[in-house]
Amino acid sequence: MSVTLHTSIGDLKLEIFCDTAPRTAFNFLALCASGAYDNTIFHRNIRGFMIQGGDTADKTGVKGGESIWGPMPFPDEFHPANLHDKRGVLSMANKGKDSNRSQFFICYERQPHLNNMHTVFGQLIDGFDVLDKMEALQVQGASAPKKKLQHCPIHPPVIQRITIHANPLADEMIVYPNPSGPPEKRL
């Protein structure tokens, strides 16, 4: 399973872990398919750490965004194989335990302190040169009008659109009808 984020500075192709983080993958893929991520920005960039995007509410990172189930957050999914162990790991941003919605981040380096705190649900498989460009972006820093904007890129990359290359959950008609219940197979 993979998707390509077509950004204003280049393409990022991501493998999505439908087998080890199925609910998170379902949410992400449904938001991709609905166009919810189109024209959103990567609003937080910290060199040596990560770049964050996916605010579907106001597309700027200020509001936070919603999951495919609306304002209801969904639970974390941890798997022993899904670790923040290398450059390019795709993970959910959250505000604490079981508070996943739409925002995600891509790691610039391994971040083992995030294991079992943030759901890893994919990894970068092509576009490492684009990730390098993202990491090098200048941020507002001390001149930001608000402290929470200090890590916002001066010229934030925009997710223009997303191509879904394959979606085994959709192919097998598997849906998660609510944020915490079991999956259903629809015929």
Side-chain angles (χ1 to χ4, degrees), residues 23 67 69-75 97-101 178-180:
R23 183 181 315 279
S67 72
W69 301 282
M72 295 289 299
F74 63 95
K97 181 177 172 33
D98 297 331
S99 63
N100 302 288
R101 293 180 190 264
N178 61 63
S180 58

Side-chain angles (χ1 to χ4, degrees), residues 31-43:
L31 290 170
C32 289
S34 73
Y37 289 127
D38 293 359
N39 300 310
T40 60
I41 64 169
F42 284 96
H43 62 274

Side-chain angles (χ1 to χ4, degrees), residues 16 25 27-28 31 35 39 49 58-59 62 79 81 84-85 89 96 103 107 117 123 133 139-140 183:
I16 306 300
N27 178 69
F28 181 75
L31 290 170
N39 300 310
F49 181 33
D58 73 352
K59 314 247 183 219
V62 176
H79 187 277
H84 297 87
D85 61 353
V89 166
Q103 291 194 31
C107 294
M117 291 177 61
Q123 66 184 359
K133 291 176 189 175
V139 296
Q140 293 184 26

Side-chain angles (χ1 to χ4, degrees), residues 39-70:
N39 300 310
T40 60
I41 64 169
F42 284 96
H43 62 274
R44 188 169 178 227
N45 187 34
I46 303 173
R47 286 187 185 138
F49 181 33
M50 60 83 203
I51 190 160
Q52 182 175 331
D55 179 353
T56 59
D58 73 352
K59 314 247 183 219
T60 65
V62 176
K63 300 283 184 182
E66 294 186 345
S67 72
I68 197 66
W69 301 282

